[in-house]
Amino acid sequence: MLLRRARQSEALFRDFVRQRFSLELGSAAAKSPPRIEFGDLAFAFPFELARSLRRAPRDIALEIAANFPAPPWMARVEAAGGYVNVFLKRDRFLADLRDSLSASPEPPRGPKIIVEHTNINPNKAAHIGHLRNAVLGDTFGRLLRSRGHSVEIQNYIDDTGVQVADVVVGFRHLRKLSLAQVRAIPEPFDYYCWDLYAKVRDWYRREDSRLEHRRRTLREIEEGEGETSRMAEHVSLRIVNAHLRTMWRVGVRYDVLPRESQILRERFWDEAFDQLKQRKAITHVADGPNRGCWVMRLPGENGQPAEEKIIVRSDGTVTYVGKDIAYQLWKFGLLEKSFRYRVVHRYPDRDEVWMTSSDGASDVEKDFGRGQSVYNVIDVRQSYLQRVVVHGLRSLGHEVPADQSTHFSYEMVALSQKCSQELGIELSEADRARPYVEVSGRKGLGVKADDLVDKLIEKSLQEVADRQPDLTREARLRIATRIAVGALRYFLLKYARNSVIAFDFGEALSFEGETGPYLQYSVVRANNIFRKLRSRRGGAGQREQENRQEDLWEHPERFADLLEDDQIWKLLLQAGRSEGAIEQSFKTLEMSYLAKHAFSLAQIFNIFYHSHHILSQKDSRKQTCYLAVADTARRAMTRSLALLGIEVPERM
RNA sequence: GCGCCCGUAGCUCAGCUGGACAGAGCAACGGACUUCUAAUCCGUGGGUCGGGGGUUCGAAUCCCUCCGGGCGCGCCA
């Protein structure tokens, strides 16, 4: 609501300045005044006008304030120093805010936006780093949907890569297990593989010649036949299902899982390779160190020397980037071939996840891919490879798709020194001197996602048991789970993308202060007011209350004096900033902005809650007004939390 | 060596495209529960915004430079 008023004000001031001074404003952007006494929207353009008008900014601001014709939703305009400050009409604002919060969400429209996230190698359990990726991508997807875009969430499965091969080598050569025996391994299979993978890496390290097993396994997997290949498929499918369950626990879901094996077997790569050769986007190297390879030439950027990136190795196999280019082309609908799909997983709410599959029914009418823009949620360490992929599209002449390809980058989750100590990780002298310890799947070093979620649930269950002893076990567990997810998601979202999270159990498991449970608690408190109100009042009292509310929405001006209360007004203003926060989050791909906005809203609500006791309020006009304010605030809070993927428990 | 990112309170971090006295959470200390749940609220202390220069009416924010730290630059992904 505030965003709308800000834009309208900007346009009005622009027109006014044009008429009065015959000048075109460069920037008329509205800002938030530092203090509420200064108004609701601040404009600094008199400073800009001062130069051309050769007058003091203060004079200009005064002249504008005195002569500007304020629209009906503006209470007044004041000059303060060189600023022009706008004060909104508060009763009108409350009514408008109420309307915008009551509006039903927009149905998806327009061209499809594809968000690719998670992309965990299907060879071991997911860890906290993967959670950050998934929660960022999922939240971004929610944000896009709330803006009315149609969105497709993809999760790419690298099922023919080195990491899966290594686990297969572990089963066959270290554990000497047959496929049937691997099938018989009990859950949690992803945990079993986590340890096995680290062991295999260690086994290689002790004797280089053992890498030959990996090479052979990799080749057999790519060929797609025989026991090795079937074991690889079993491993990756089972792990993918484990990942889907883990992510479901924290509220993350997917539409489709494209598999790398399909890109190879359905000859997507061959088609992309032909295109690249035809457009001369890649060239065959005759001699030098890259002899026999197909390479892409990358122009030197800002003084950088040009370089060559190998796309096809001298032995004819494709690199990861090569396959990624084919995948990116498919996402934009730039390949003629199409995948076949089958359902790989069904969520508890019966929603389906599809996966590319050669044995999928060819008559499945699923229009996956063909996006208009694509966001790849991948950590910042892969920036270089993402640039290569985009350059690939560009050199094939796909300028628009290249421009519509966005690398949604973010920094890694590392372990704080304290955390790695708690986990009993042995560190070298050099590692101890570092600010944090990098998570390493190869060394089996990290905090597993499910372990963390379990820990969070365990802790919140204890807290709930203390406070809600009357509830059933099931109810307590349901509440504890929501709190755990709230704590985890908020923790992963509150940091800016390019800030390394040094993971610390103390901070992640905290339920106080700037945390998910704080936000949930605020809404629960608001909801309690209305629940108590319903249970206290009989039918007649209920109707009387409703009539008073009706009166407020029909004649908000009758309550205008009560809105002069700055604590109330701060709360309404913050609730009105939601669209602005969404807009800002979208433009900067910064989910932390949205998180901070929601936190700030909850904070202001709690202040209001403390100073305005509603149910004991004797003055019925005041009570009616405060109820309207509380209701508006809880709706705004619930919406913001939903965007963050945080559900509100019925009690806490 | 080259490129990208970071350096703000004891700790963890905000500070949006430069704007009105630099904020939050945690930690510390002191207060507020017969009240709509204290997972809360109020108060106190704590900062030469890494150093230096520049642009500007105005710089934590933009530019240059130096210092410190992280990451990337594979016929790995």
Side-chain angles (χ1 to χ4, degrees):
Chain A
M1 201 60 230
L2 198 62
L3 182 67
R4 196 161 105 204
R5 294 302 182 219
R7 288 195 175 143
Q8 288 170 328
S9 305
E10 284 161 29
L12 290 171
F13 281 125
R14 200 177 280 283
D15 289 347
F16 183 75
V17 166
R18 192 182 297 122
Q19 282 175 23
R20 191 162 188 97
F21 304 108
S22 306
L23 282 171
E24 196 59 40
L25 278 177
S27 164
K31 308 186 184 301
S32 272
R35 289 204 310 228
I36 197 159
E37 302 89 81
F38 294 157
D40 308 318
L41 294 167
F43 294 86
F45 59 79
F47 291 100
E48 185 194 318
L49 291 177
R51 189 187 314 257
S52 9
L53 293 175
R54 294 174 172 281
R55 287 170 56 191
R58 202 156 58 107
D59 287 350
I60 301 169
L62 281 167
E63 183 179 337
I64 291 168
N67 297 288
F68 179 75
W73 45 265
M74 244 184 228
R76 62 183 194 281
V77 177
E78 279 182 5
Y83 293 91
V84 171
N85 293 330
V86 168
F87 292 75
L88 297 173
K89 206 167 271 175
R90 299 181 175 186
D91 53 325
R92 168 88 185 246
F93 188 81
L94 172 60
D96 290 342
L97 188 56
R98 155 86 181 193
D99 288 346
S100 77
L101 286 168
S102 305
S104 49
E106 297 178 53
R109 57 167 159 69
K112 188 199 286 178
I113 299 178
I114 290 173
V115 178
E116 178 205 344
H117 68 76
T118 305
N119 305 4
I120 314 173
N121 272 299
N123 75 324
K124 61 180 177 306
H127 58 63
I128 40 174
H130 301 130
L131 281 177
R132 187 180 195 184
N133 181 304
V135 169
L136 280 173
D138 180 75
T139 303
F140 184 57
R142 289 168 190 261
L143 185 84
L144 293 174
R145 288 200 169 109
S146 85
R147 297 176 92 248
H149 297 289
S150 64
V151 179
E152 182 173 300
I153 306 292
Q154 298 189 358
N155 174 8
Y156 182 69
I157 310 296
D158 183 5
D159 59 345
T160 55
V162 178
Q163 295 214 17
V164 170
D166 284 346
V167 169
V168 171
V169 168
F171 280 130
R172 302 208 66 183
H173 302 281
L174 258 74
R175 296 286 149 87
K176 315 259 185 222
L177 298 181
S178 68
L179 175 55
Q181 287 169 311
V182 173
R183 281 184 198 278
I185 293 171
E187 297 296 329
F189 185 68
D190 55 338
Y191 277 41
Y192 183 102
C193 291
W194 172 282
D195 295 331
L196 180 58
Y197 178 55
K199 290 218 171 64
V200 173
R201 298 291 303 206
D202 196 50
W203 184 70
Y204 288 147
R205 209 164 43 85
R206 275 185 261 137
E207 203 181 307
D208 280 354
S209 66
R210 289 169 175 167
L211 284 168
E212 183 50 35
H213 290 296
R214 170 198 273 177
R215 276 188 283 274
R216 198 164 347 116
T217 303
L218 209 44
R219 202 156 49 235
E220 288 175 50
I221 293 173
E222 280 202 19
E223 283 161 8
E225 276 162 36
E227 168 119 344
T228 302
S229 162
R230 281 200 300 279
M231 190 184 284
E233 175 144 36
H234 173 74
V235 168
S236 69
L237 278 180
R238 222 170 138 185
I239 300 276
V240 162
N241 271 288
H243 291 162
L244 291 176
R245 281 194 298 272
T246 302
M247 294 307 173
W248 169 259
R249 294 181 85 188
V250 298
V252 176
R253 61 167 88 209
Y254 311 89
D255 295 309
V256 62
L257 315 183
R259 285 193 293 174
E260 185 169 272
S261 57
Q262 299 298 302
I263 291 194
L264 294 172
R265 275 165 221 163
E266 302 288 325
R267 308 209 166 274
F268 276 54
W269 163 247
D270 295 350
E271 190 186 335
F273 192 27
D274 285 343
Q275 281 193 28
L276 288 164
K277 281 189 284 196
Q278 270 175 28
R279 301 284 303 213
K280 300 209 180 343
I282 57 175
T283 48
H284 195 77
V285 180
D287 41 21
N290 294 340
R291 185 165 164 232
C293 297
W294 287 88
V295 302
M296 181 175 289
R297 277 183 217 287
L298 294 152
E301 281 169 40
N302 40 18
Q304 288 258 78
E307 51 188 316
E308 288 182 347
K309 179 71 200 163
I310 292 164
I311 303 297
V312 178
R313 303 183 187 98
S314 53
D315 66 2
T317 56
V318 198
T319 60
Y320 177 77
V321 203
K323 285 176 271 193
D324 219 18
I325 291 172
Y327 175 34
Q328 192 77 357
L329 286 169
W330 171 76
K331 286 182 198 162
F332 281 106
L334 296 171
L335 292 180
E336 285 180 18
K337 290 179 180 298
S338 56
F339 286 118
R340 277 178 287 173
Y341 306 92
R342 68 178 173 87
V343 172
V344 64
H345 191 84
R346 212 165 248 124
Y347 290 122
D349 66 359
R350 304 191 56 76
D351 199 8
E352 295 161 334
V353 190
W354 293 76
M355 181 179 75
T356 57
S357 181
S358 301
D359 57 20
S362 50
D363 59 346
V364 174
E365 289 288 324
K366 280 285 171 187
D367 190 30
F368 293 122
R370 301 175 176 281
Q372 189 231 18
S373 54
V374 171
Y375 291 86
N376 296 331
V377 182
I378 305 177
D379 81 74
V380 68
R381 291 173 292 190
Q382 296 201 41
S383 297
Y384 172 66
L385 294 179
Q386 283 291 300
R387 273 203 303 277
V388 175
V389 170
V390 172
H391 182 76
L393 295 201
R394 214 176 282 289
S395 50
L396 284 171
H398 302 307
E399 289 289 339
V400 174
D403 291 339
Q404 293 299 320
S405 299
T406 305
H407 175 198
F408 185 121
S409 75
Y410 66 93
E411 265 290 357
M412 62 180 166
V413 181
L415 306 177
S416 68
Q417 288 290 340
K418 195 175 130 214
C419 177
S420 46
Q421 253 174 32
E422 284 166 359
L423 292 171
I425 295 165
E426 280 178 41
L427 296 177
S428 65
E429 191 83 13
D431 278 341
R432 269 201 298 274
R434 289 164 174 271
Y436 43 72
V437 183
E438 202 168 334
V439 170
S440 168
R442 288 192 281 265
K443 294 179 194 154
L445 225 165
V447 177
K448 294 188 200 75
D450 281 322
D451 284 349
L452 180 58
V453 175
D454 288 345
K455 253 187 159 150
L456 282 158
I457 291 177
E458 192 189 331
K459 190 186 170 194
S460 50
L461 202 49
Q462 185 56 54
E463 303 278 337
V464 175
D466 290 349
R467 281 158 241 243
Q468 309 288 347
D470 301 339
L471 294 178
T472 63
R473 248 186 90 79
E474 291 72 40
R476 289 205 296 251
L477 182 62
R478 192 172 58 240
I479 290 168
T481 304
R482 287 195 173 184
I483 292 171
V485 172
L488 179 62
R489 290 190 65 125
Y490 191 86
F491 174 76
L492 292 170
L493 291 170
K494 73 175 181 180
Y495 299 95
R497 284 191 290 141
N498 53 10
S499 157
V500 176
I501 298 180
F503 183 82
D504 179 272
F505 279 109
E507 280 173 39
L509 292 172
S510 167
F511 295 164
E512 286 166 23
E514 196 193 338
T515 66
Y518 175 95
L519 306 201
Q520 293 170 313
Y521 185 57
S522 311
V523 188
V524 168
R525 290 174 122 187
N527 289 341
N528 280 347
I529 298 173
F530 292 89
R531 203 185 42 190
K532 269 267 164 65
L533 193 68
R534 273 196 303 276
S535 68
R536 271 193 193 179
R537 291 220 163 95
Q542 179 76 24
R543 227 165 301 124
E544 189 192 325
Q545 183 58 45
E546 279 166 14
N547 289 340
R548 286 206 220 108
Q549 288 295 320
E550 278 306 302
D551 183 46
L552 188 149
W553 300 124
E554 277 169 35
H555 302 284
E557 69 282 357
R558 292 180 190 165
F559 297 81
D561 59 313
L562 297 174
L563 300 178
E564 289 308 306
D565 180 333
D566 278 344
Q567 276 182 4
I568 288 180
W569 183 234
K570 276 185 194 164
L571 179 55
L572 295 178
L573 265 185
Q574 183 66 11
R577 275 193 254 270
S578 299
E579 292 95 333
I582 290 170
E583 197 65 20
Q584 188 72 12
S585 261
F586 169 69
K587 275 202 294 212
T588 57
L589 305 183
E590 204 62 87
M591 302 304 103
S592 63
Y593 200 91
L594 203 57
K596 300 273 180 194
H597 163 77
F599 171 64
S600 181
L601 178 59
Q603 241 181 345
I604 299 169
F605 171 77
N606 276 316
I607 294 169
F608 161 79
Y609 179 89
H610 259 265
S611 54
H612 297 74
H613 201 277
I614 297 177
L615 293 184
S616 63
Q617 179 55 249
K618 296 282 185 286
D619 183 330
S620 74
R621 200 174 64 97
K622 280 188 184 166
Q623 191 181 50
T624 302
C625 178
Y626 298 166
L627 277 172
V629 171
D631 191 37
T632 305
R634 68 170 175 157
R635 284 175 193 235
M637 287 192 284
T638 306
R639 268 201 188 191
S640 298
L641 283 181
L643 281 181
L644 301 174
I646 299 175
E647 292 180 303
V648 179
E650 57 267 38
R651 291 183 179 207
M652 276 180 85

